[in-house]
Amino acid sequence: MSDDGHYKPEEAATIFPDGKLARPLVVGTVPRGGRTVTDTIYAVTAPTTAPAASFPFPLDRAGLERGKQQYEIFCAVCHGATGDGNGMIVRRGFPHPPSYYLDRLRKAPPGHFYDVITHGQGAMYSYGDRIVPEDRWRIVGYIRALQLGDPKNDGLATTPPEQRK
Amino acid sequence: MAQIFHPATNVIAKATIFGGLFLLAFVCYVAAGVERSPWITHEGMYREQPVPFSHEHHVGGLGIDCRYCHTSVETSPFAGIPATKVCMTCHSRLWTNAALLEPVRESWNLNKPIAWTRVHDLPDYVYFNHSIHVAKGVGCATCHGRVDRMPLMMQAHSLRMEWCLDCHRNPEKYVRPKEKVFDMAYEPPGGREQTALGEKLVQQYHIRKEQLTNCAVCHR
């Protein structure tokens, strides 16, 4: 009685040829009630277009706090709590990411960070399947706040030479 | 006619009746004990996994947030078993030759999921939703124990209905401030202080106690 045979999320399932109950998303679909692909919030992710130069929606305090929370869950493990690239995983041997305080990253448009979160870059895998688009922008907002917070930091002290550019 | 039973057999008759009662009570007592024992509930039992993943190392040692891997815990009934990609986010560069991680690399290369063994399995007639618990101040550690100290994942509690009801009847005994939900090291204040804090939070988070023990809350 305690196992009536119905599938629970992510169980193995013999009814599909690949044995997975969780079905992959069909390319081009969006969640019901979600934004359509023509919205700027998705459109900027197309890697062929130039990164967005501005945020698609205004960020208030609550948005930045959400960005901080998401940053601390997903980003700080490598990029460090302050964005200098000295996170715990880097200290355990993962390739050092560039510091956010480098001149080129201070000048990079917000869409650049959004694209990197969405598609990954270099050693960094994509986080597009783990962080929803709105939260990616909030994280970008929080990165901007970090960069503002320490104007004297040029990022050189914590970035390996090949990543300074 | 001579007596068939000697008067002394009365003692035996009485002993049998009372003995039977005692025996019945004893059997019930043992059955209840077995029913609540880890043999049935799997409380406190570690499970073999295809990869001996250590929460102690990843959570306790490295400080990775629960939600880094269990991404859907705040938005869905199921907390989410991370995809192999999540493992590979770091292990594409770290411990790339470790034999222990061979199943992870194989899964990644063949695009075949790792068949993890489920540790917490509620009966199929129970409806359970992670997101509402997390949103109302039930900490991960309240039900899952100190996961940051588990070298292999273990079921910390019995998951029996009486265990669920203990909190559903008196949530003020267990709720914690929302910002501490994912904090493994949070120590609830003991005794009366917890009750005072809990009652405040129950109010603040709009936990409707009078509904929490309705059958249909969990059996839908």
Side-chain angles (χ1 to χ4, degrees):
Chain A
M1 191 165 109
S2 63
D3 187 5
D4 60 19
H6 83 249
Y7 285 125
K8 291 184 175 177
E10 296 180 24
E11 271 187 359
T14 48
I15 52 172
F16 294 111
D18 62 0
K20 296 185 239 183
L21 178 67
R23 305 314 302 154
L25 292 178
V26 177
V27 174
T29 53
V30 289
R32 199 177 156 144
R35 293 158 196 267
T36 59
V37 281
T38 51
D39 265 355
T40 47
I41 203 165
Y42 285 102
V44 287
T45 67
T48 48
T49 56
S54 61
F55 289 84
F57 57 91
L59 279 174
D60 54 7
R61 187 184 178 90
L64 278 177
E65 274 169 8
R66 171 80 183 166
K68 175 177 192 283
Q69 184 220 50
Q70 294 284 299
Y71 178 89
E72 284 169 358
I73 295 171
F74 293 105
C75 317
V77 286
C78 287
H79 289 280
T82 60
D84 59 6
N86 280 326
M88 180 56 97
I89 307 302
V90 171
R91 278 181 265 157
R92 299 299 172 100
F94 199 84
H96 199 297
S99 162
Y100 292 140
Y101 300 101
L102 289 175
D103 198 41
R104 72 176 165 94
L105 288 179
R106 285 188 200 264
K107 286 180 182 151
H112 166 74
F113 299 96
Y114 183 88
D115 281 349
V116 173
I117 297 171
T118 310
H119 301 291
Q121 178 172 299
M124 176 180 158
Y125 276 23
S126 71
Y127 281 73
D129 50 358
R130 278 175 264 180
I131 309 173
V132 296
E134 289 81 354
D135 282 344
R136 287 176 230 162
W137 284 113
R138 292 181 186 120
I139 290 173
V140 177
Y142 184 64
I143 293 172
R144 278 285 182 257
L146 286 175
Q147 289 173 327
L148 287 175
D150 197 356
K152 286 191 188 127
N153 188 340
D154 62 7
L156 295 175
T158 52
T159 306
E162 67 277 11
Q163 292 178 354
R164 285 178 192 169
K165 274 182 242 172
Chain B
M1 191 177 135
Q3 277 186 325
I4 299 173
F5 295 110
H6 188 269
T9 49
N10 285 344
V11 177
I12 298 174
K14 280 176 192 159
T16 317
I17 291 164
F18 285 112
L21 281 177
F22 275 119
L23 189 70
L24 191 68
F26 180 71
V27 167
C28 290
Y29 176 77
V30 169
V34 170
E35 174 68 16
R36 283 168 178 76
S37 74
W39 192 50
I40 299 286
T41 66
H42 305 142
E43 179 178 351
M45 273 171 54
Y46 291 91
R47 292 298 181 110
E48 289 288 321
Q49 299 287 356
V51 183
F53 177 85
S54 166
H55 279 90
E56 183 181 40
H57 169 66
H58 290 87
V59 182
L62 301 176
I64 298 175
D65 192 280
C66 311
R67 292 161 287 182
Y68 186 90
C69 302
H70 304 291
T71 47
S72 57
V73 71
E74 288 183 294
T75 51
S76 98
F78 189 57
I81 292 297
T84 303
K85 181 185 169 190
V86 177
C87 310
M88 290 301 285
T89 306
C90 297
H91 290 293
S92 60
R93 302 295 182 119
L94 295 176
W95 299 101
T96 48
N97 293 317
L100 281 178
L101 294 177
E102 185 52 35
V104 178
R105 293 190 293 271
E106 189 186 297
S107 158
W108 182 245
N109 292 332
L110 303 179
N111 195 25
K112 253 186 90 180
I114 303 169
W116 298 101
T117 304
R118 202 183 173 110
V119 177
H120 296 82
D121 196 10
L122 289 171
D124 284 1
Y125 45 79
V126 177
Y127 172 85
F128 177 80
N129 190 323
H130 270 99
S131 64
I132 189 67
H133 288 85
V134 169
K136 299 285 181 181
V138 180
C140 304
T142 304
C143 301
H144 293 292
R146 287 299 297 268
V147 173
D148 61 328
R149 291 177 184 164
M150 295 180 191
L152 259 184
M153 193 59 197
M154 180 194 81
Q155 184 183 317
H157 291 283
S158 71
L159 307 187
R160 282 175 59 83
M161 182 170 155
E162 64 187 6
W163 172 79
C164 299
L165 282 176
D166 184 31
C167 186
H168 273 229
R169 287 188 179 125
N170 299 300
E172 67 280 353
K173 275 164 49 185
Y174 299 99
V175 287
R176 55 173 78 182
K178 279 182 192 175
E179 61 274 15
K180 299 289 183 193
V181 164
F182 296 93
D183 185 350
M184 278 290 140
Y186 173 79
E187 293 277 352
R192 280 196 198 144
E193 263 179 79
Q194 169 62 38
T195 315
L197 173 73
E199 273 165 5
K200 202 184 90 192
L201 294 178
V202 165
Q203 288 276 322
Q204 202 180 324
Y205 297 161
H206 306 291
I207 300 173
R208 290 149 85 180
K209 272 177 73 171
E210 68 282 2
Q211 291 188 354
L212 277 186
T213 47
N214 287 358
C215 306
V217 168
C218 311
H219 303 292
R220 306 192 163 185

